[in-house]
């Protein structure tokens, strides 16, 4: 069908429509922005996705990346490719992955990890 191979987040009642939308796009005072704005930027250190194919799990050879994640919002209703779903499912089992470390940071900050922010943020920041 026409959506084959696409990841998107849909929200017909949201002014941003079908795309994950950066937190900074919304007006000041928007009801969800304050929840993620306090505590500073989300700086996450993780093992790079390009290292996932390496069968050598020796910590000496693991390369890390540090990124500042921009929080994105979307809808609870979304269409995701099997590859992206597999990426999330596999990554959540790997304590060195970006999704796992993002989850860990959200928990540390006592922030909601809703499907409206967690998956859209990973979609927008996934290479």
């Amino acid at each position: 069908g026409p959506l084959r191979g696409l990841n998107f987040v849909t929200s017909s009642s949201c002014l941003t429509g079908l795309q994950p939308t950066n937190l900074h796009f919304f007006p000041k005072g928007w009801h969800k922005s304050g929840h993620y704005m306090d505590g500073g930027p989300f700086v996450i250190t993780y093992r790079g996705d390009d290292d996932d194919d390496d069968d050598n799990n020796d910590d000496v050879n693991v390369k890390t990346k540090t990124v500042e994640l921009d929080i994105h919002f979307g809808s609870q209703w979304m269409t995701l490719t099997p590859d992206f779903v597999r990426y999330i499912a596999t990554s959540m089992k790997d304590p060195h992955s970006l999704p796992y470390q993002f989850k860990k940071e959200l928990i540390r900050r006592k922030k909601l990890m809703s499907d409206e922010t967690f998956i859209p943020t990973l979609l927008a920041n996934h290479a």
Side-chain angles (χ1 to χ4, degrees):
L3 300 178
R4 184 172 299 221
L6 294 178
N7 289 308
F8 74 87
V9 179
T10 178
S11 180
S12 61
S13 64
C14 180
L15 88 127
T16 61
L18 296 176
Q19 54 190 327
T21 304
N22 189 304
L23 170 71
H24 301 291
F25 175 82
F26 293 95
K28 287 189 187 264
W30 181 62
H31 67 288
K32 293 183 180 179
S33 65
H35 180 71
Y36 293 95
M37 295 295 279
D38 63 340
F42 281 82
V43 177
I44 309 292
T45 299
Y46 68 102
R47 187 185 71 217
D49 295 336
D50 55 344
D51 295 324
D52 288 348
D53 295 334
D54 187 359
D55 290 333
N56 184 355
N57 290 325
D58 183 351
D59 286 341
V60 174
N61 294 323
V62 174
K63 296 176 186 171
T64 60
K65 295 181 182 181
T66 300
V67 296
E68 183 175 325
L69 290 184
D70 287 323
I71 301 297
H72 285 70
F73 287 90
S75 172
Q76 294 172 324
W77 295 94
M78 55 190 78
T79 299
L80 302 170
T81 64
D83 286 343
F84 188 74
V85 172
R86 197 168 12 269
Y87 164 73
I88 294 291
T90 302
S91 295
M92 293 306 290
K93 296 175 188 175
D94 177 1
H96 302 288
S97 71
L98 174 61
Y100 190 97
Q101 290 297 316
F102 180 41
K103 175 189 88 167
K104 186 175 163 182
E105 181 64 11
L106 287 167
I107 291 169
R108 186 188 73 75
R109 292 185 186 208
K110 298 181 177 158
K111 301 296 179 188
L112 295 175
M113 187 173 62
S114 75
D115 49 351
E116 295 172 330
T117 54
F118 187 72
I119 291 174
T121 296
L122 290 175
L123 273 172
N125 290 281
H126 179 65

